[in-house]
Amino acid sequence: MINNETKLIGLIGHPVAHSKSPQMHNTMFDNLDLNYKYFAFDVQQNQLEQAIEGVKALNISGLNVTIPHKVNVMTYLDEISDEARAIGAVNTIVNLDGKLIGYNTDGQGYVRSLIEETGINIEGKKIIILGAGGAARAISYTLSKQLIAELIIANRNLEKAKQLQHILEQNVSTNVISYDEIKSYIEEVDIVVNTTSIGMHPRIDQSPINKERINSNHLISDIIYNPLETKLIKDAIQQGAQVHTGLGMFIYQAVIAFEKWTGVSPNPKVMRQSVL
Ligand code: NAP
């Protein structure tokens, strides 16, 4: 039911028509009997500033931010969390009495999903992260704040990987390698995280790692969720490795955003079900 007390949450991005976020959050608001509604707003790049002014003027309670606004939106906010600043992008905004505060829940969402869905204790683990783009920045920054042993970044563009290393090296021991070098390191790592788009629809027959290099001591994590099970994940299952699939990160980044807007913890299983 919508009434004068209903609080509004929005998603801004371009395009947003296919986003699952409205369905996921509205299901949870109803499920918990919270008087909130979530709408998707298609905002063009040149209208971002007006959109953010509108959030204040209309007293919208919070936002999710998606492509292409995650970086540019930072210019228009009153406060940005240390984590979002280090990652260089905002995906969640809270309107606190007219003050807009930006957060990034992707990295925390990933780590919470990894731990809760696999039961792994990541303390002391050696982790190789494939890719150095936006998702890799968020995930590796949050991982670097945990008590992991080492983070190895493998990327096609080595300069980009070194820029990421520069942000992380004050928190954790890091190393940058090329794709050719993966074979020399993969045996000794515990967790492999794919943050590249290799294997994403429509090129679902591709994988960033040769199947033979995966063994049963590995935990193979792929953040791609289209398809829900990538070739990398299928290969890992066949090799006897533990696996972690990409939908979890999407669900848990939403769980954390939901907590920030409402102060209430939603049930990740209900959110997952609403998306599936
Ligand atoms: P991005 O910023 O564009 O970064 C893409 C990364 O993939 C870069 O490191 C790029 O390497 C690498 N890459 C792309 N094609 C490659 C190829 N053919 N060979 C080697 N490396 C390649 O993208 P992003 O936002 O980080 O997203 C990356 C993936 O994560 C996408 O598939 C996206 O759907 C998924 N994702 C999932 C979630 C979730 O909630 N589960 C959230 C965000 C993103 P270079 O730097 O060398 O170009």
Side-chain angles (χ1 to χ4, degrees):
M1 190 175 66
I2 297 180
N3 55 34
N4 290 344
E5 305 293 312
T6 305
K7 293 182 176 169
L8 296 188
I9 304 288
L11 165 69
I12 57 165
H14 178 73
V16 291
H18 296 104
S19 171
K20 302 274 187 213
S21 293
Q23 187 182 328
M24 184 168 55
H25 285 289
N26 284 325
T27 300
M28 216 55 235
F29 292 143
D30 289 348
N31 196 276
L32 291 168
D33 221 2
L34 295 170
N35 194 1
Y36 284 81
K37 286 284 173 216
Y38 188 111
F39 294 95
F41 299 105
D42 198 319
V43 175
Q44 302 283 337
Q45 298 225 36
N46 62 357
Q47 289 190 310
L48 179 60
E49 185 173 6
Q50 290 102 307
I52 296 299
E53 280 171 7
V55 169
K56 284 190 178 181
L58 300 172
N59 197 24
I60 291 175
S61 299
L63 289 181
N64 271 147
V65 185
T66 189
I67 290 166
H69 303 313
K70 282 180 156 189
V71 176
N72 293 342
V73 78
M74 296 170 82
T75 319
Y76 309 115
L77 303 180
D78 299 304
E79 223 176 280
I80 294 167
S81 74
D82 290 344
E83 187 173 26
R85 200 174 285 288
I87 292 166
V90 158
N91 77 335
T92 300
I93 297 172
V94 175
N95 183 352
L96 191 69
D97 301 326
K99 195 165 83 172
L100 299 188
I101 307 170
Y103 299 92
N104 191 310
T105 67
D106 280 337
Q108 281 185 40
Y110 173 78
V111 171
R112 235 163 102 173
S113 147
L114 178 70
I115 293 170
E116 290 191 20
E117 292 175 356
T118 68
I120 194 173
N121 175 3
I122 59 175
E123 200 176 316
K125 296 289 188 284
K126 275 193 174 185
I127 301 177
I128 191 162
I129 185 155
L130 311 175
R137 283 172 75 96
I139 290 171
S140 59
Y141 180 79
T142 310
L143 285 173
S144 78
K145 293 283 194 176
Q146 314 288 315
L147 294 171
I148 62 170
E150 190 182 357
L151 198 55
I152 301 165
I153 309 161
N155 200 42
R156 185 174 55 180
N157 177 336
L158 286 178
E159 203 38 56
K160 214 157 107 187
K162 283 181 188 152
Q163 284 168 15
L164 180 54
Q165 180 184 33
H166 184 65
I167 299 167
L168 305 174
E169 61 194 358
Q170 52 203 336
N171 302 333
V172 69
S173 161
T174 58
N175 193 2
V176 166
I177 62 169
S178 67
Y179 274 89
D180 286 343
E181 292 173 285
I182 291 175
K183 55 181 178 295
S184 318
Y185 286 84
I186 190 152
E187 185 110 19
E188 66 185 62
V189 302
D190 303 292
I191 305 174
V192 178
V193 187
N194 177 40
T195 75
T196 74
S197 39
I198 302 171
M200 192 167 87
H201 185 81
R203 282 168 293 171
I204 58 170
D205 55 341
Q206 295 181 0
S207 168
I209 300 262
N210 283 341
K211 183 178 173 180
E212 299 70 44
R213 306 229 179 269
I214 302 171
N215 66 53
S216 58
N217 295 323
H218 286 134
L219 191 163
I220 304 291
S221 173
D222 195 338
I223 70 163
I224 292 172
Y225 58 86
N226 180 17
L228 290 171
E229 216 171 69
T230 57
K231 176 169 186 337
L232 173 63
I233 292 292
K234 285 182 179 148
D235 287 350
I237 292 169
Q238 282 177 12
Q239 296 293 94
Q242 191 177 6
V243 297
H244 172 240
T245 59
L247 192 59
M249 174 177 171
F250 177 67
I251 303 293
Y252 277 80
Q253 60 77 29
V255 165
I256 297 169
F258 192 102
E259 288 170 350
K260 289 193 184 302
W261 297 320
T262 66
V264 177
S265 284
N267 182 339
K269 289 194 180 117
V270 176
M271 290 176 99
R272 177 184 287 268
Q273 208 47 47
S274 76
V275 172
L276 288 173

